[in-house]
Amino acid sequence: MITAGIDMGAKTIKVVIVDDGNMVGKAMTIAGFEATESAERAYTTALGEAGLAEGDVERIASTGAGRRYAPHAKHDVSEVKCAVKGAIDLYPNARTVIDVGAEEGRAIRCTEDGNVMDFALNEKCAAGAGAFTEAMSRALEVKVEELGPMSVKSTNAIPMNAQCAVFAESEVVSLLHAKTPKEDIARAVHDAIASRIVSLARKVGFEPDVVLIGGLARNVGFVDSLQRALGCDVLIPSDPEYIGAYGAALAARAG
Amino acid sequence: MEMVISAQMTDKSEHNQEVRQILDRLRSRDNGRDTGVRLMIIGSEDDDTAFIRMVESCGATFVVDEHCTGTRYFWNDVEPRDDRLEAIAARYIDRVPCPSKDWVDRTRIPHILELAREWNVGGAIVMQQKFCDPHELDTPAIRKALEEAGIKTLFLEFDVTVPMGQFKVRVEAFLEMLAEEDLFE
Amino acid sequence: MTATPTYETRPLQCWGKAKEIRKQYYVDYASAHERGGLRWAGGAWTFGAIPCGLGDDVYSLTSEPYGASIAANKDFSMRCLEATERAGYARDLCSYMRNYWGSLLLDEYLWGGSFPKPDFIWQDHICCSHAKWYQVVGDHEPDIPQFCIDVAVGPEGAINENKLSYIVGQMHDGIDWMEEITGRTYDDEKLIEAVYQECRSTSLWAEICCLNKAIPAPLEEKTMYSLYVLGTLAKHSKVVADFYEELRDEVQDRVDNHIAAVPNERCRLMSDTQPPWGFLSLFRYLEEYGALSVGSLYTFGLIGMWEDKPDGSWGPRTTPQQQGIDIKDRDQALRILAAWNLSKPEWQHFYSPHLKTALMVRIAKEWHLDGVLLHYNRGCEGLSVGIAENRLGLIEAGYPVMTFEGNMGDEREFDLARTKARIDTFMETLGFTRESTSTGSASAPSRARRCT
């Protein structure tokens, strides 16, 4: 059976087409103001990549902050459930899923059957999500993709106000004036996010295997900080930002 | 600040010996620096020695304080009486209390004004430890009382980490403001 | 999939009366002077029975309910909060206080007209802020005499003669003070009557809460807020006690006839701390899943008075009159009043989160709950203290817990959309879904069903 999952994220929309458990097509667009239209475009692109037509897809499910506005989807599933479904499918020993997107960070404990035991979400705060790195890269005047590689070069941990992304931005300015190496600041940024995320993980009581998904998983600096803060390694799938949509597609198959 | 904190954690008889020695040395101590502007720090609990150092590097000295981990910890003597427990209890009841117990009237305010006068204070920094409600409830009244007594105040909110850079800017501006006032006196 | 049985439901008959009593209370306070009466202000936990000894024309304005009422009126609340911030008060202070002071600073009474100033303030210091609340009022209105009783004597289990005397002594002092500042002679008979009524009304409220152990629950928490509030206004008054008796009878009738508050009751929950008062629609949202909150330690234990029953269950506290106690004099009345109040369940948690966890787990068991919603209430540090510990304790006891951050009285710190999304996820983990079309975000589902 061919199913599709549409993840209507806060910043980006991801679409995944799944054919009998294999990801055969995927696409991502910026959500923008016309989220439904962006989703349409992503859907068309994903179908194209899979070499399929709309009629070939039997079931579609949506997830994400804007899931009620997804085109074509017949039902919606929470991000938490999709994260677990996607992660368990790829890593059967996954017992904790950490999902860090643009706007929200989540820590989820799951059973071996892929049921959600408990979950914790970051509370109204960008400092525990991808938006923080974007703000910080602006303050450091680098591209956001450069932040990760820069941070792993650091050999020095400096404390940073992890309470507020806005305050942290002005802290960065002070640190730069004090001639602090950019690498150390970049690392401090990632340490700050990691510490917020790990406190979510501790809230649900994390257990290996720990799977990391979401856009921030591509940031090597963040992964480094996270593993240090957790005290263990995390498993990262090859398309970390698509796992929510993948999970939705799997959920659609289950009906 | 460090002495008060050590007093809170050390056996009193041990600590008293150290304090007596320091007292002897203090009487003749020349710390080799100009006092600069005489400041007072008022607050809730505060052990931010880095902040103190920063302010004192700007041409000022904290000559007295009124905060939980400062004078309020050790102010007031025990008045001896036959019942020793009662004597100690009386000190606890009579001392300037933590704002959480300082009601209906605020006994802190006359005490703060008294300290400011006795120590000839030029300005006061009111530091507010975030989330300490009782102190937050006192701060507007304290600032008003000080301003009415002719003592300018600078209000700073402290958190787990503090933006030292920005604090320095504000402290410098505050000290400049105090210096200008002296000019026109 | 099992079909959802539907219970019979109907609105509460005495609902209108509750609204009338509340409205009259605020009118009486504002118009007290017109009738030569006195008015006083203080917290809802204050020993409100005591000023009754000054006469039958003495009216109160309790601070927290007033603050909560302001919070429910979002426009007025915002103006009050901003006025308070302009005056230099921190945003992380109790949001009830900030609403209340705002009303004072703006000189606008929520129910119209200028703010009716109390003749005196009668308070008790139940938390770090409580006495200071009126101290700040005094900063702006220095001519209003104030008296505050310190009640920090420890949890009920540790009360002894010394501690009780500490409180009763202050009460005696308070009465002398009251006579002096009002010029009135204190009437002990009126005090005794007020003490009886207070014990009666608070015991009755507990009885009403107990009736919610029934399945289906005859009441749900959003409705209960509007009923329990009367106790926070005047727990010592005969009007409130009489009303609670009438309410108890009606709720008993609902239990006997299986009348449900929520006809598709499937999932029984409880909440904790004050709710975000401007967003009680959250409780209606739960009903779309056939879920309801049957109450909370806050709703049960702030006004209700409880005890262990012979069968081991938690039930309404036996009143002095039920025990055949005949109060003879002022001192006896005060001692009974103090001891009665010190047993208040909602008081215990100030001393230890473990005490609170034990109370909450007990409610979860005896009220047959499926899960718990915890409001990490930034607006009240006192009631939120230790709530993260409570969460762990409840999880350990086997109850699924959902937490959400918010503020009982400051809408800027509450995100309704996000909280609803969180409820969606929580309900999903409990195995409940709403039946909805894929694009119909606003369409109301017909019934909730449990997933197989």
Side-chain angles (χ1 to χ4, degrees), chain A:
Chain A
M1 187 198 295
I2 299 175
T3 60
I6 304 179
D7 181 356
M8 306 284 289
K11 196 175 150 236
T12 58
I13 295 170
K14 284 77 68 179
V15 178
V16 166
I17 319 268
V18 170
D19 184 355
D20 272 334
N22 298 313
M23 211 190 281
V24 294
K26 65 180 195 291
M28 171 157 43
T29 56
I30 306 288
F33 286 117
E34 313 286 340
T36 311
E37 282 164 31
S38 306
E40 279 283 11
R41 281 199 305 278
Y43 187 53
T44 307
T45 309
L47 281 172
E49 191 181 286
L52 295 167
E54 235 180 80
D56 297 327
V57 180
E58 271 188 64
R59 293 196 197 145
I60 308 170
S62 67
T63 186
R67 63 186 185 272
R68 304 250 163 90
Y69 304 103
H72 307 294
K74 287 283 181 291
H75 69 280
D76 61 276
V77 188
S78 73
E79 300 92 297
V80 164
K81 192 166 181 184
C82 289
V84 166
K85 271 194 140 23
I88 283 266
D89 185 84
L90 299 171
Y91 302 98
N93 289 326
R95 296 294 173 265
T96 313
V97 183
I98 294 179
D99 181 0
V100 188
E103 247 189 35
E104 202 166 81
R106 306 172 196 117
I108 312 157
R109 273 282 275 123
C110 58
T111 63
E112 57 184 55
D113 312 313
N115 290 321
V116 174
M117 277 171 68
D118 198 1
F119 64 93
L121 313 175
N122 81 303
E123 307 278 1
K124 277 176 84 76
C125 174
F132 192 27
T133 53
E134 305 208 351
M136 293 297 99
S137 59
R138 273 197 302 273
L140 289 171
E141 293 178 358
V142 298
K143 291 214 221 28
V144 69
E145 309 84 67
E146 293 174 76
L147 215 60
M150 233 166 79
S151 130
V152 293
K153 292 205 192 100
S154 159
T155 49
N156 213 12
I158 32 173
M160 172 170 273
N161 185 328
Q163 257 228 71
C164 175
V166 176
F167 287 159
E169 208 166 328
S170 40
E171 244 185 283
V172 165
V173 170
S174 302
L175 289 168
L176 285 171
H177 283 164
K179 303 278 183 284
T180 314
K182 279 189 177 182
E183 291 77 14
D184 294 344
I185 301 177
R187 181 190 151 153
V189 168
H190 295 127
D191 283 347
I193 306 177
S195 109
R196 290 218 113 221
I197 297 294
V198 170
S199 80
L200 290 180
R202 286 196 207 292
K203 198 174 174 191
V204 301
F206 71 91
E207 244 192 67
D209 291 342
V210 181
V211 177
L212 174 65
I213 64 172
L216 214 58
R218 288 200 186 274
N219 180 324
V220 294
F222 169 68
V223 173
D224 198 42
S225 295
L226 182 67
Q227 291 184 151
R228 230 179 304 114
L230 279 174
C232 70
D233 284 349
V234 299
L235 300 166
I236 304 173
S238 47
D239 293 302
E241 47 299 72
Y242 288 95
I243 305 305
Y246 180 57
L250 295 176
R253 188 177 63 189

Side-chain angles (χ1 to χ4, degrees), chain C residues 135-206:
Chain C
Q135 189 179 55
V136 168
V137 166
D139 288 338
H140 300 280
E141 302 283 348
D143 298 328
I144 304 177
Q146 300 192 24
F147 194 93
C148 183
I149 295 181
D150 182 24
V151 291
V153 294
E156 187 196 359
I159 301 297
N160 58 26
E161 190 45 48
N162 260 352
K163 294 175 180 179
L164 197 62
S165 299
Y166 174 60
I167 296 189
V168 174
Q170 292 177 76
M171 289 171 157
H172 278 293
D173 289 346
I175 292 177
D176 293 340
W177 170 85
M178 244 180 240
E179 279 189 313
E180 206 188 300
I181 54 136
T182 63
R184 293 188 177 197
T185 310
Y186 197 79
D187 184 339
D188 291 336
E189 286 309 310
K190 295 205 195 300
L191 166 69
I192 292 168
E193 178 59 23
V195 171
Y196 280 137
Q197 294 300 344
E198 179 166 326
C199 295
R200 185 173 158 238
S201 70
T202 53
S203 179
L204 278 165
W205 178 250

